[in-house]
Amino acid sequence: MSTKIATLQPPIANKIPKSLEIHDDVRIDNYFWLNDREDPAVIKYLEDENAYTKAVLKHTEAFQTDLFEEMKARIKEDDTSVPYKFNGYWYITRYEKGKDYPVYLRKKENLDADDEILFDCNEMAKGFAYFKLGGISISPDNTMASFSVDTVSRRQYTLQIKNLVTGEVFSDKIENTTGSSTWANDNKTLFYSKKDEVTLRSDTIYKHKLYTDASLDTLIYKEEDDTFNTFIYKSKSKKYLIIGSSSTLTSEYRILNADTPDEDFKIFSERERELEYSIAHYNDSFYILTNKDNATNFKLQKTLETQTSQEHWEDVLPHRDHVLLEDIEIFRSHLVVNERENGLNQIRIISWNGEEDYYLPFNNETYTASIGNNPDFDNTFLRYSYNSLTHPNSVIDYNFLTRQEIVQKEQEVLGDSFDKNNYESKRVWATARDGVKIPMSIVYKKGLVLDGSNPLLQYAYGSYGSTIDPYFSTIRLSLLDRGFIYVIAHIRGGEYLGRNWYEDGKLLTKKNTFTDFIDCSEYLIEEKYTSPEHLYAMGGSAGGLLMGAIINSKPELYNGVIAAVPFVDVVTTMLDDEIPLTTGEYDEWGNPNDKAYYDYIKSYSPYDNVEAKAYPNMLVTTGLHDSQVQYWEPAKWVAKLRELKTDSNKLLFHIDMDAGHGGASGRFESLKEVALEYAFLLDLEGISH
């Protein structure tokens, strides 16, 4: 490091004490003032942080460029999705060389037909620093498309309608929607969901009539419970419009025949606390995936469409303690069930006539298999995807009648250097401090010697029952090829080992998520995969909370940590019901207005537990317009860490001033963010090319 960089001084945020009091407990927040993005002093501080990060990593800029070009070079630029057929048209997404955004097109009846361009996002994105096309919904007669656009990155979409016959985009703009919409069967009635302007909670469903002013749209449903979100879609059978309302633990649906959009929706089955269900229509019945009757891992039930309340539901696939029922897909001839057993995805095929019931064969422990896009009810094949830590993603069509598979597409990894046989993966189990076995999926380049000297990046999420399955990444090859081991820790708080795995890592058991990650780290060190000098941790959003918790608890285990858009100011955020997401997340974290939850959350909230001690090297990232985790959480956290930490390790803060929770919108722009992260890690290992 040059003398100039060594003497660089990081920005120091002003301390303006604010007293926060509840339950006779007083917290002093010196950096509360950073929550005003309209304050020029806040913007100046964020820009100073960016300048500092740029200066400290200036010696890696050429390497960052090389990493970016290397990662980009593996990706096929002129790429095309596997076409799928729906209502007489083949739909295709195409990427063109040198362009950042997709082109959506369709072909009538057969793949030799002329291209009909629906949306060219490269043209639509011109003039915007951020651009994202939301949901596209095609009218049943194929003449109209509703679509939505976000140019701020706060997931507040503007909805419009395009005439696919004339190419005209109607001037009406419906602001502040979720981005999704659905047509009734009359081809002139469109339903959509809108958000609360302040909390961004999806709370209303509206009905729009074609060729009428959007100001005349009718409010169809308002979700009054501020812990619920609402949404609308059409059943795959096309017979029903369905309004859903859901919270973390409870769901409720309303249904209406799609042929009669001006009639009233009727409740499918009344909401009941902690009763979750989802519905799919087939013939004269609804199929219900539910946790009813203490079916922790869910079961499949059915009921006649004329008798939908829960007392009429009957078992189709009963509950099993060791198998999590994740999803179903209904075809005219078969039912397909997505299950998870011992952490592994399973795809089960059942014929409606009862003659067939079997599983597709998968033969390793570090793969992901998932049901793909299957909009056609009459298809005789299932489209699904398969990939693993060492195997690029494949899109596969499985024929129900012949039981044969056709690989429609395998992800291309460009360049001569990639050979899937050069890498190996495995699953290992660490023993947590309470005796529970925690699985990890591991990948590395063959020939690695386990002597404790290998750099290792350990990743996890661990919240909301969201499972991070082992997946292939062309980007990750830039670490593996430089000697890194990559580990996904399947810690509690996800659903890798079933619903109880989630229940045991939330609310008043949330700390299991953090201690599981630490216990996995200690296992990896004990087994000589790595050592504290070479161990790195990474997590984003709720996984960023995980990063904050582990460095407060065991900072000495890690040489470096990347916390992306981290949720670190948990107490203050969960006490502010005007911040997006807060009220809907009481069932995940607890409501700190209740003292028991307040005390527990405060005991692990990263921001509240920063201490005067040594911390690892750190890179923290955020987006100024993030709607999920507000930018000020990491900003305050970094400021407090700078104030209190006793080490001379790097603490870098990078803020995307144009983007939100998902980062940059361009196809390759996001690779620049990854290049920054990888350069940070590789630089700590002394690797510069």
Side-chain angles (χ1 to χ4, degrees):
M1 185 183 287
S2 71
T3 306
K4 184 177 180 184
I5 291 176
T7 57
L8 277 171
Q9 293 302 310
I12 302 299
N14 290 332
K15 291 170 68 171
I16 306 174
K18 181 176 179 65
S19 178
L20 303 169
E21 183 173 359
I22 188 173
H23 305 306
D24 297 321
D25 182 61
V26 179
R27 292 177 301 132
I28 303 299
D29 188 344
N30 291 320
Y31 304 106
F32 189 88
W33 66 276
L34 286 170
N35 75 350
D36 182 5
R37 67 166 59 83
E38 303 302 320
D39 182 348
V42 171
I43 298 300
K44 170 77 166 55
Y45 170 70
L46 298 178
E47 289 173 341
D48 288 348
E49 284 285 3
N50 273 344
Y52 175 70
T53 295
K54 185 175 176 63
V56 171
L57 292 179
K58 186 168 182 58
H59 66 290
T60 71
E61 283 183 355
F63 188 26
Q64 288 182 49
T65 301
D66 290 345
L67 285 167
F68 169 76
E69 295 297 341
E70 172 183 300
M71 291 184 286
K72 182 181 177 184
R74 294 193 196 102
I75 299 171
K76 189 171 172 19
E77 287 196 61
D78 52 341
D79 204 5
T80 302
S81 67
V82 179
Y84 68 88
K85 196 171 188 183
F86 180 66
N87 198 22
Y89 282 83
W90 289 93
Y91 287 87
I92 301 165
T93 305
R94 178 183 296 160
Y95 287 93
E96 298 174 353
K97 193 172 180 62
K99 295 184 177 179
D100 257 337
Y101 294 96
V103 177
Y104 293 91
L105 59 99
R106 68 181 182 178
K107 295 170 178 281
K108 190 170 185 179
E109 292 301 341
N110 66 73
L111 291 170
D112 295 325
D114 292 338
D115 290 354
E116 182 182 328
I117 304 298
L118 302 175
F119 301 99
D120 184 343
C121 295
N122 299 289
E123 291 298 318
M124 298 168 74
K126 286 181 177 176
F128 297 107
Y130 177 92
F131 177 87
K132 186 167 179 63
L133 185 69
I136 302 170
S137 181
I138 309 291
S139 63
D141 64 3
N142 291 310
T143 64
M144 298 285 171
S146 56
F147 68 99
S148 57
V149 168
D150 175 12
T151 56
V152 178
S153 188
R154 273 183 75 76
R155 303 186 184 183
Q156 290 172 285
Y157 288 87
T158 299
L159 186 69
Q160 288 184 269
I161 296 172
K162 180 178 182 177
N163 185 319
L164 298 179
V165 178
T166 66
E168 178 191 3
V169 176
F170 298 163
S171 58
D172 251 0
K173 293 185 177 182
I174 304 171
E175 307 287 350
N176 194 39
T177 78
T178 63
S180 64
S181 57
T182 192
W183 294 89
N185 290 342
D186 64 357
N187 299 297
K188 62 183 181 183
T189 308
L190 184 71
F191 292 84
Y192 61 90
S193 45
K194 291 193 75 169
K195 293 186 168 187
D196 181 281
E197 291 274 9
V198 176
T199 67
L200 303 189
R201 179 174 70 91
S202 169
D203 64 347
T204 49
I205 305 293
Y206 280 86
K207 178 171 67 177
H208 174 77
K209 292 290 187 181
L210 206 55
Y211 307 116
T212 66
D213 193 283
S215 64
L216 303 175
D217 289 0
T218 308
L219 175 64
I220 297 299
Y221 176 69
K222 181 171 178 59
E223 178 51 68
E224 300 289 355
D225 189 326
D226 65 4
T227 67
F228 279 71
N229 288 287
T230 188
F231 50 92
I232 186 164
Y233 65 100
K234 189 189 286 186
S235 64
K236 184 176 175 178
S237 67
K238 305 179 188 176
K239 182 173 181 179
Y240 285 97
L241 295 160
I242 302 171
I243 293 175
S245 287
S246 67
S247 70
T248 306
L249 297 176
T250 309
S251 41
E252 181 182 68
Y253 291 87
R254 288 167 167 77
I255 58 174
L256 175 64
N257 190 306
D259 290 335
T260 56
D262 294 328
E263 292 186 4
D264 294 331
F265 283 78
K266 72 163 192 171
I267 289 181
F268 186 89
S269 189
E270 296 268 3
R271 70 184 63 177
E272 180 181 305
R273 173 77 179 162
E274 299 190 17
L275 174 67
E276 297 177 67
Y277 70 94
S278 57
I279 59 177
H281 178 253
Y282 174 64
N283 281 350
D284 61 355
S285 298
F286 279 97
Y287 286 77
I288 308 133
L289 201 60
T290 181
N291 66 347
K292 183 174 176 283
D293 306 319
N294 298 311
T296 308
N297 276 331
F298 288 76
K299 62 181 177 178
L300 185 64
Q301 299 192 292
K302 70 177 285 190
T303 191
L304 291 173
E305 58 189 357
T306 54
Q307 297 177 311
T308 59
S309 55
Q310 62 169 291
E311 64 267 20
H312 300 293
W313 301 358
E314 297 177 349
D315 280 5
V316 177
L317 297 175
H319 178 254
R320 288 163 291 169
D321 289 334
H322 62 291
V323 178
L324 176 66
L325 209 55
E326 291 191 316
D327 197 9
I328 63 168
E329 187 75 62
I330 289 177
F331 297 87
R332 193 168 299 283
S333 62
H334 286 77
L335 168 68
V336 179
V337 186
N338 216 40
E339 301 179 350
R340 185 183 297 274
E341 184 172 7
N342 195 31
L344 304 180
N345 301 130
Q346 312 238 41
I347 295 180
R348 183 178 178 184
I349 313 290
I350 304 170
S351 62
W352 290 115
N353 63 17
E355 294 176 3
E356 297 175 311
D357 186 347
Y358 59 93
Y359 291 87
L360 298 185
F362 304 118
N363 57 9
N364 72 52
E365 288 191 324
T366 58
Y367 71 90
T368 299
S370 58
I371 296 172
N373 188 12
N374 295 275
D376 191 343
F377 202 59
D378 294 315
N379 265 356
T380 56
F381 64 87
L382 164 74
R383 176 160 294 170
Y384 75 96
S385 65
Y386 173 90
N387 70 95
S388 74
L389 287 174
T390 59
H391 190 291
N393 188 60
S394 295
V395 177
I396 301 165
D397 286 347
Y398 174 79
N399 191 302
F400 297 126
L401 305 179
T402 65
R403 297 201 184 186
Q404 291 182 319
E405 292 186 338
I406 298 175
V407 177
Q408 294 289 1
K409 181 177 183 179
E410 182 176 306
Q411 177 185 2
E412 289 186 59
V413 183
L414 300 186
D416 300 326
S417 62
F418 175 72
D419 180 347
K420 67 183 78 168
N421 297 310
N422 289 340
Y423 306 87
E424 64 181 273
S425 64
K426 59 183 171 181
R427 185 167 65 160
V428 300
W429 301 74
T431 303
R433 59 197 65 187
D434 61 357
V436 172
K437 298 286 189 184
I438 312 297
M440 290 179 278
S441 298
I442 302 179
V443 62
Y444 50 85
K445 201 160 186 182
K446 284 181 179 174
L448 210 66
V449 178
L450 299 183
D451 60 3
S453 67
N454 301 300
L456 185 151
L457 179 58
Q458 181 182 337
Y459 174 84
Y461 184 70
S463 290
Y464 303 107
S466 178
T467 297
I468 307 299
D469 281 309
Y471 64 96
F472 182 80
S473 166
T474 61
I475 296 167
R476 189 191 301 136
L477 296 173
S478 291
L479 288 182
L480 301 183
D481 289 347
R482 290 175 173 85
F484 262 77
I485 300 171
Y486 185 83
V487 175
I488 301 172
H490 305 292
I491 54 182
R492 281 173 281 188
E495 265 182 1
Y496 185 80
L497 290 179
R499 183 69 173 197
N500 284 327
W501 203 244
Y502 170 42
E503 299 291 342
D504 211 17
K506 65 183 238 196
L507 297 175
L508 297 176
T509 59
K510 187 65 210 170
K511 289 182 184 177
N512 285 337
T513 302
F514 317 138
T515 56
D516 281 0
F517 190 92
I518 290 168
D519 294 342
C520 286
S521 297
E522 291 180 336
Y523 172 90
L524 294 166
I525 293 168
E526 288 164 11
E527 296 297 317
K528 300 273 198 265
Y529 284 93
T530 190
S531 58
E533 296 76 26
H534 301 287
L535 177 56
Y536 302 90
M538 182 174 181
S541 195
L545 160 62
L546 170 64
M547 295 300 100
I550 65 165
I551 62 167
N552 281 336
S553 178
K554 284 280 191 176
E556 68 276 11
L557 283 182
Y558 307 95
N559 189 39
V561 169
I562 297 176
V565 292
F567 175 39
V568 284
D569 190 15
V570 189
V571 179
T572 304
T573 289
M574 293 306 297
L575 283 170
D576 188 347
D577 60 13
E578 291 193 348
I579 293 178
L581 302 185
T582 293
T583 56
E585 303 210 345
Y586 290 151
D587 289 333
E588 178 72 24
W589 311 103
N591 184 346
N593 291 293
D594 177 329
K595 187 175 187 307
Y597 285 113
Y598 174 84
D599 291 341
Y600 188 77
I601 294 170
K602 185 186 174 188
S603 73
Y604 69 72
S605 174
Y607 181 64
D608 292 286
N609 288 281
V610 174
E611 296 175 327
K613 63 183 179 187
Y615 283 92
N617 294 285
M618 293 181 62
L619 172 63
V620 181
T621 64
T622 194
L624 181 63
H625 300 290
D626 197 321
S627 61
Q628 309 300 106
V629 177
Q630 307 299 317
Y631 76 89
W632 61 77
E633 292 200 37
K636 291 164 55 177
W637 185 45
V638 168
K640 191 171 182 180
L641 281 164
R642 286 208 195 289
E643 175 195 352
L644 293 176
K645 77 189 192 83
T646 60
D647 59 85
S648 57
N649 289 329
K650 292 187 175 93
L651 174 55
L652 305 178
F653 187 27
H654 175 70
I655 308 99
D656 189 324
M657 303 300 281
D658 295 317
H661 200 63
S665 61
R667 186 181 182 200
F668 298 111
E669 280 301 303
S670 61
L671 294 182
K672 293 178 181 176
E673 299 169 14
V674 179
L676 174 73
E677 294 167 352
Y678 281 12
F680 169 76
L681 294 174
L682 292 163
D683 186 51
L684 291 173
E685 281 293 311
I687 299 170
S688 58
H689 62 276

